[in-house]
Amino acid sequence: NAGVTQTPKFQVLKTGQSMTLQCAQDMNHEYMSWYRQDPGMGLRLIHYSVGAGITDQGEVPNGYNVSRSTTEDFPLRLLSAAPSQTSVYFCASSYSRGIFPNSYEQYFGPGTRLTVT
Amino acid sequence: AQSVTQLDSHVSVSEGTPVLLRCNYSSSYSPSLFWYVQHPNKGLQLLLKYTSAATLVKGINGFEAEFKKSETSFHLTKPSAHMSDAAEYFCVVSVRFNQAGTALIFGKGTTLSVSS
């Protein structure tokens, strides 16, 4: 298994440009999520999905869109990049939320380092 | 509301000495708690997790943590530090989010430095 993969690893954008960060997992996990990591802030949840066709907002969703057309893929779109979106982005997945969703380990991808100038 | 507080932003130890990384949490119900480690320019790796079974949890690389409900703490320890333990450590609580999802709430991290 490749686990959780993310592309690209690095990206530089100009303010106002759009792009999509790709995330894929081959573990048949229902639950997928996107986090951003900023210095001194830990990780913060952007969006999450509990299955194909179902997404919802996290703590910091503004400026980002997501969709989940398949179980495997969960892309994150920046519609109009801003310098405040300079960050490291992590995708994560876990087993079905089930009855005890809190106990499931989330598996993280290697991250995408995004710089917006 | 659930939250996690890591009490030290930076901890420095000498190789071979014990490690203690402190974490307090707040949760309105019995939480699931995790410790993740992140080495420089790497992704996140799960060290250990607590999910309401044994209160003393053993993880990888000799780390362990004890869940103390009365103190709302989940401190991470290791008897003897190794140079390869130098990394950033995150204490994490898993919560329901918007009634449908599960989200991880991260502490702000503790940077562990190990000197020879």
Side-chain angles (χ1 to χ4, degrees), chain B residues 5 15 90 105:
Chain B
T5 303
E15 192 174 23
F90 294 97
I105 304 299

Side-chain angles (χ1 to χ4, degrees), chain B residues 80-94:
Chain B
S80 177
H82 191 274
M83 295 295 287
S84 61
D85 294 329
E88 188 156 21
Y89 291 79
F90 294 97
C91 182
V92 181
V93 62
S94 180

Side-chain angles (χ1 to χ4, degrees), chain A residues 41-111:
Chain A
M41 301 289 289
L43 279 74
R44 293 178 291 169
L45 181 67
I46 304 172
H47 285 284
Y48 68 92
S49 168
V50 299
I54 308 170
T55 64
D56 206 345
Q57 297 180 349
E59 302 173 77
V60 288
N62 292 342
Y64 308 94
N65 278 356
V66 292
S67 60
R68 184 95 178 272
S69 56
T70 67
T71 299
E72 294 78 19
D73 300 299
F74 190 44
L76 178 72
R77 297 184 188 84
L78 284 71
L79 301 178
S80 179
S84 61
Q85 294 178 304
T86 294
S87 188
V88 181
Y89 292 84
F90 288 98
C91 179
S93 74
S94 70
Y95 291 106
S96 169
R97 52 197 169 99
I99 299 174
F100 302 109
N102 294 349
S103 65
Y104 291 116
E105 173 188 355
Q106 293 203 26
Y107 295 81
F108 285 85

Side-chain angles (χ1 to χ4, degrees), chain A residues 31 35 37 40-43 45 48 50 56-59 90 97 99 101-106 108-110 113, chain B residues 29 32 34 36 38 41-44 46 49 51 90 94-98 100-108:
Chain A
Y31 191 85
Y35 293 84
Q37 182 179 28
M41 301 289 289
L43 279 74
L45 181 67
Y48 68 92
V50 299
D56 206 345
Q57 297 180 349
E59 302 173 77
F90 288 98
R97 52 197 169 99
I99 299 174
N102 294 349
S103 65
Y104 291 116
E105 173 188 355
Q106 293 203 26
F108 285 85
R113 187 174 296 274
Chain B
Y29 54 88
S32 288
F34 307 79
Y36 280 83
Q38 185 179 31
N41 299 312
K42 299 288 187 183
L44 291 128
L46 180 70
K49 66 178 181 181
T51 56
F90 294 97
S94 180
V95 301
R96 281 197 183 275
F97 199 89
N98 288 350
T102 298
L104 299 182
I105 304 299
F106 281 74
K108 294 186 176 180

